[in-house]
Each structure stands twice: as structure tokens, then as C-alpha cells.
Amino acid sequence: MALGTAIRYLKQGDWQRAHEIVQADESTLGCWAHGIVHMIEGDIGNARYWYRRAHRVYPTTADTASELAALTQALKDATAKDSP
């Protein structure tokens, strides 16, 4: 799954490669990941935009580790929900 690959890149600190993936993903989780990319990049205005697209509140403290952990769990939950 492409979003899983993007998350791995984010955890490695490679936001540029993650950005290449998430900018093609219009899903709610993809928008959330896109927001995290811009949070890491330091582009807070753009990060807030993508959080709104993901229907999420932008965190008061930019704790990317917590956001990545929550995104990872949400992707696991979504994947498990789609499995037979």
C-alpha cells in the first residue's frame, strides 16, 4: 500500500519522498499524511490546510511522532476493516 510506504519514509525523516506519494492520495488518511509532511517541512499553513481536508484538528503542539503513531494505527484499523 502506497500510504504505508509514505509513512515509512516519514518515520525515516524523508518527507520529500513521502510527499511524492501522498500528494496523489486524496483519501482522508492521505490528506492527514500530507498534513504531517508539511508539518515536518515547517510549512504550517499548508499543514493546517491538509488537516482540514482530513477532517482533523491541527495539533496545538507539532508532535510528529505522536501524529505518525496515530496515523499508522488508523491505517492498520482501516486495512483490517477492509479485510474479509
Side-chain angles (χ1 to χ4, degrees):
M1 175 175 267
L3 191 52
T5 301
I7 291 170
R8 282 192 295 282
Y9 286 142
L10 287 171
K11 288 180 178 179
Q12 295 166 4
D14 192 348
W15 64 263
Q16 293 95 338
R17 288 181 78 182
H19 189 250
E20 293 173 13
I21 295 169
V22 299
Q23 64 186 353
D25 188 337
E26 294 288 325
S27 71
T28 301
L29 292 178
C31 289
W32 184 9
H34 204 152
I36 294 170
V37 164
H38 288 292
M39 180 190 298
I40 292 169
E41 179 189 14
D43 185 353
I44 303 307
N46 213 352
R48 289 179 184 277
Y49 167 80
W50 286 104
Y51 267 74
R52 284 192 303 275
R53 291 273 314 265
H55 310 287
R56 296 192 59 84
V57 175
Y58 188 80
T60 55
T61 58
D63 181 0
T64 55
S66 294
E67 287 297 297
L68 283 173
L71 176 60
T72 300
Q73 187 59 53
L75 181 59
K76 286 179 184 175
D77 293 347
T79 304
K81 191 179 205 179
D82 293 338
S83 297

